[in-house]
Amino acid sequence: MRFSVGIVSFIPCLFGLTFVGAVPTKDCAYAVKESIAEPHGWTKDSQPSPNHKIELKIALPQPNFAELERHLYEVSNPDHERYGEHLSKEEVEELVAPHPESLNMVNEWLSSFGFKDEDLARSPAKDWITLKVPVSIAEKMLDTKYHVWKHVESGDYLVRTTSYSLPTNLHAHIDLIQPTTMFGRFKSEKSSIFSAVPIPDSLVQANNAIGTIEAASGVSVDASCNQTITITCLQELYNAVGFKPSAKGNSIGITGYLEEFANFQDLQTFYADQRPDALNSTFNVISVAGGLNNQSLDEAGGEANLDTQFAFGLSHPISPTFFTTAGRPPFIPEEGGSEDTNEPYTVWLDFILSHPNPPLAISTSYGDDEQTVPFSFAQRACAGFAQLGARGVSLLFSSGDGGVGDGDSNPATQTCISNDGKNTTKFLPAFPASCPFVTAVGATTHIPEVAVSRFFSGGGFSNYFTRPAFQDKVVSAYLKALPKGTFAGLFNLNGRAYPDVAAQGDLFKVFVGGEAFLIGGTSASSPTFAGFVALLNDVRLKAGRPSLGFLNPFIYSKGFAGLNDITVGHNSGCGTLGFNATKGWDPVTGFGTPNFGKLRELVLSL
């Protein structure tokens, strides 16, 4: 801790009080605001250029968030009289606005470093402030030292610190500042085990074979679906054949990151192959912070094409939007380099919270390992998801592709080491899937469906978020049935459990760069489930009802009756077979996969 020099340092810096003789914020003593252990798997590489630009994001407290959470659960609980009475953008912003005193204190601090109001970007609720500064200034503001860190396994680089400080009288007025202690490696959940491979001619010939197979739900599915998943396969498997949405007032969105571009020409090829009635239709593209969507076939993204082709193919003609967000956190350090190293996810979250009409169902197939995301940051991002849920938006996230472990590691040598400096072995949950305000989607394969095992369908228990009340009954039952001592000490018995649901996640026929590929991962599961949520919203809207919004209270109280229970499979990782799929909810496939026919009746009964 350092103290300012001179007689003024002996005058107390009282939290939020201003009086004659009080110490200006800039002269207050600094104290550590946040500190982490040196992150596992990273090494200090070098010093960043003093001119390297960092986009600091400052989060101010949301003193009325508990009130917003109350509203969220009331409008999302099918048994509550307010079910479906979603809040407006303005009502949500009023509930998350910081106290004026916090605004004044932070403004005073920033002005002491020469920043003017025009240098600052504020969120609509004024709960976030963003400003771009050179590293040299950030180090003075935060009384810290940044380094270039290298990720040993991948070779990625980040500019980060393991500790930062603030004036003592600001601690109550700032929740967090990033990028500082965040060492996440934001990635798509497209499985590296079931990677994209061209479809061989032998498989094309086999898929021409005639025949059907019986799914566990009792529906008949074309036999070819055990080798290649198409739109028709999903419609048959999930009991949606013949349903035609009207699209009026409905919408669906896909998020894109890390320079993954969704190709229009590939979409037309996909539609010609699997959804001919959608030919010549396309999707809206919204650029976030300058995000691109280059249309060269050489730059077509496997992740982006998978997500858009299946989500929009399933939900056609519901209004589709692809959000392309700029930013790629790892950078290559070079002399005088000034690349931005921010996490792009929060850039999208800021944007969508300011959007007057976000899509009613949004799928994201990207995530981090929970332990690489500071707890304070995870809390605030999760609070952002709650705001969207309160506005009637359903958020679907892939549950991850590492089973109970780290999807980045080679499954054969997966060590699952804690990131707290103790280097203990434990299961590694994923974020944002672990946030209780989103719906996490696991993966199944084959017909009849089983969980995708072998280090694939991510699932487990959060170390950050406690188990929400809507999960208590089913999760407690699952844990009670586990043999005593199973995985003792490897997971948090009281944590938010995930996934909530599942969908097919392997062998998806996707067109990339003009060629057909088979792609797998929970990256496929999330846009698939989102497509069916969009269809359910269509059912609701046609009947004059509001959108489904935050799904979990519905799923855990009534919706599970419209899901196909998956009872075979497991999610290996960390040198174990992981958790087992079993009757009822489980941390591999949640409550199971959608039966649209049943869910359609359930959502109409609400």
Side-chain angles (χ1 to χ4, degrees):
M1 182 181 294
R2 79 175 161 80
F3 295 87
S4 54
V5 180
I7 189 72
V8 74
S9 64
F10 295 103
I11 303 176
C13 293
L14 300 178
F15 288 92
L17 296 180
T18 55
F19 56 90
V20 176
V23 181
T25 297
K26 67 183 180 67
D27 294 322
C28 282
Y30 268 65
V32 172
K33 174 65 175 176
E34 188 168 22
S35 181
I36 64 169
E38 196 159 300
H40 176 73
W42 293 85
T43 59
K44 284 182 183 176
D45 181 79
S46 60
Q47 299 286 338
S49 163
N51 297 320
H52 177 87
K53 290 291 196 308
I54 292 181
E55 192 170 84
L56 287 180
K57 296 186 68 65
I58 303 170
L60 279 64
Q62 301 169 331
N64 295 319
F65 180 77
E67 182 68 4
L68 178 130
E69 189 174 10
R70 179 182 70 81
H71 283 282
L72 171 66
Y73 279 113
E74 288 183 358
V75 302
S76 306
N77 179 359
D79 294 321
H80 198 280
E81 62 182 2
R82 290 186 61 207
Y83 179 68
E85 295 179 7
H86 302 127
L87 305 186
S88 68
K89 174 178 178 289
E90 293 73 22
E91 288 171 329
V92 166
E93 288 168 0
E94 186 177 347
L95 286 168
V96 299
H99 194 281
E101 186 179 23
S102 295
L103 283 169
N104 293 336
M105 298 285 287
V106 175
N107 287 343
E108 179 200 331
W109 175 61
L110 292 174
S111 67
S112 73
F113 286 94
F115 294 108
K116 299 183 171 119
D117 199 58
E118 55 265 31
D119 300 322
L120 315 176
R122 301 181 191 271
S123 63
K126 295 184 170 50
D127 56 333
W128 283 95
I129 296 174
T130 304
L131 68 158
K132 187 169 285 191
V133 300
V135 160
S136 57
I137 299 299
E139 290 178 337
K140 292 177 181 177
M141 293 172 66
L142 305 178
D143 192 24
T144 190
K145 186 71 178 171
Y146 279 87
H147 290 86
V148 176
W149 293 76
K150 181 178 181 179
H151 189 251
V152 176
E153 183 180 343
S154 68
D156 289 342
Y157 294 89
L158 288 175
V159 175
R160 296 291 187 267
T161 181
T162 56
S163 177
Y164 69 94
S165 299
L166 290 171
T168 54
N169 66 338
L170 283 183
H171 280 229
H173 299 286
I174 292 177
D175 276 350
L176 65 101
I177 298 180
Q178 291 292 348
T180 48
T181 57
M182 186 166 179
F183 283 80
R185 297 187 60 249
F186 194 64
K187 59 190 180 296
S188 77
E189 302 295 5
K190 188 168 80 272
S191 175
S192 59
I193 298 126
F194 299 101
S195 56
V197 294
I199 297 179
D201 291 339
S202 59
L203 185 56
V204 174
Q205 294 169 1
N207 282 348
N208 290 327
I210 299 173
T212 60
I213 47 180
E214 193 84 356
S217 60
V219 300
S220 293
V221 182
D222 192 277
S224 65
C225 298
N226 248 331
Q227 296 175 306
T228 307
I229 292 296
T230 64
I231 293 292
T232 300
C233 290
L234 296 171
Q235 290 171 331
E236 291 178 351
L237 181 60
Y238 297 143
N239 195 16
V241 174
F243 179 78
K244 298 185 185 302
S246 66
K248 185 177 180 181
N250 201 356
S251 51
I252 183 171
I254 290 292
T255 61
Y257 301 96
L258 307 181
E259 298 168 10
E260 273 275 342
F261 307 132
N263 190 271
F264 296 128
Q265 186 175 331
D266 281 335
L267 180 70
Q268 295 307 313
T269 305
F270 175 83
Y271 281 164
D273 182 68
Q274 299 188 31
R275 190 80 203 241
D277 62 316
L279 270 170
N280 299 320
S281 68
T282 187
F283 52 85
N284 307 310
V285 176
I286 293 181
S287 170
V288 179
L292 302 176
N293 194 38
N294 296 344
Q295 288 303 296
S296 166
L297 285 176
D298 291 338
E299 295 186 83
E303 177 65 70
N305 277 9
L306 163 66
D307 294 351
T308 53
Q309 287 172 18
F310 274 89
F312 302 158
L314 282 167
S315 59
H316 174 77
I318 293 168
S319 178
T321 298
F322 175 66
F323 296 93
T324 173
T325 302
R328 177 177 285 272
F331 86 112
I332 300 173
E334 55 188 20
E335 191 70 27
S338 61
E339 293 188 42
D340 186 281
T341 60
N342 268 1
E343 175 73 85
Y345 186 79
T346 54
V347 177
W348 177 82
L349 188 53
D350 288 348
F351 174 85
I352 202 67
L353 285 171
S354 68
H355 198 290
N357 295 298
L360 297 178
I362 302 176
S363 173
T364 297
S365 293
Y366 297 78
D368 282 314
D369 300 323
E370 185 185 69
Q371 69 169 359
T372 67
V373 180
F375 175 63
S376 59
F377 179 88
Q379 274 191 313
R380 278 303 290 259
C382 196
F385 303 140
Q387 294 173 54
L388 287 169
R391 290 172 59 183
V393 177
S394 299
L395 294 171
L396 292 303
F397 278 84
S398 300
S399 70
D401 291 340
V404 293
D406 178 355
D408 287 334
S409 300
N410 182 334
T413 58
Q414 201 175 45
T415 54
C416 301
I417 298 298
S418 68
N419 210 22
D420 55 6
K422 299 178 182 178
N423 293 331
T424 55
T425 300
K426 65 178 183 179
F427 292 167
L428 301 179
F431 180 82
S434 64
C435 170
F437 302 130
V438 307
T439 300
V441 188
T444 62
T445 189
H446 302 314
I447 303 161
E449 291 182 277
V450 299
V452 180
S453 303
R454 294 188 292 151
F455 308 96
F456 198 149
S457 186
F461 299 81
S462 173
N463 291 315
Y464 284 176
F465 301 101
T466 57
R467 186 161 66 243
F470 60 75
Q471 284 195 320
D472 275 342
K473 182 178 179 181
V474 295
V475 174
S476 296
Y478 179 86
L479 293 173
K480 186 176 181 180
L482 280 179
K484 189 175 181 180
T486 301
F487 307 137
L490 292 180
F491 71 97
N492 177 17
L493 287 163
N494 300 310
R496 183 279 205 254
Y498 75 99
D500 305 295
V501 294
Q504 285 278 316
D506 193 15
L507 304 173
F508 277 52
K509 186 180 182 182
V510 180
F511 287 85
V512 184
E515 187 175 0
F517 288 82
L518 295 181
I519 300 181
T522 51
S523 272
S525 308
S526 183
T528 294
F529 205 96
F532 285 97
V533 172
L535 298 183
L536 293 171
N537 276 335
D538 189 83
V539 171
R540 296 268 301 167
L541 294 172
K542 279 180 183 175
R545 315 278 180 81
S547 61
L548 288 167
F550 176 38
L551 294 169
N552 292 356
F554 162 67
I555 291 170
Y556 284 82
S557 63
K558 299 178 186 296
F560 65 87
L563 299 171
N564 307 311
D565 195 7
I566 310 302
T567 60
V568 177
H570 53 87
N571 55 358
S572 304
C574 304
T576 75
L577 292 178
F579 298 106
N580 286 324
T582 188
K583 186 176 180 180
W585 181 90
D586 57 70
V588 189
T589 61
F591 275 116
T593 60
N595 183 323
F596 178 74
K598 290 183 178 180
L599 287 169
R600 180 180 181 178
E601 297 304 315
L602 284 169
V603 301
L604 279 175
S605 69
L606 302 179

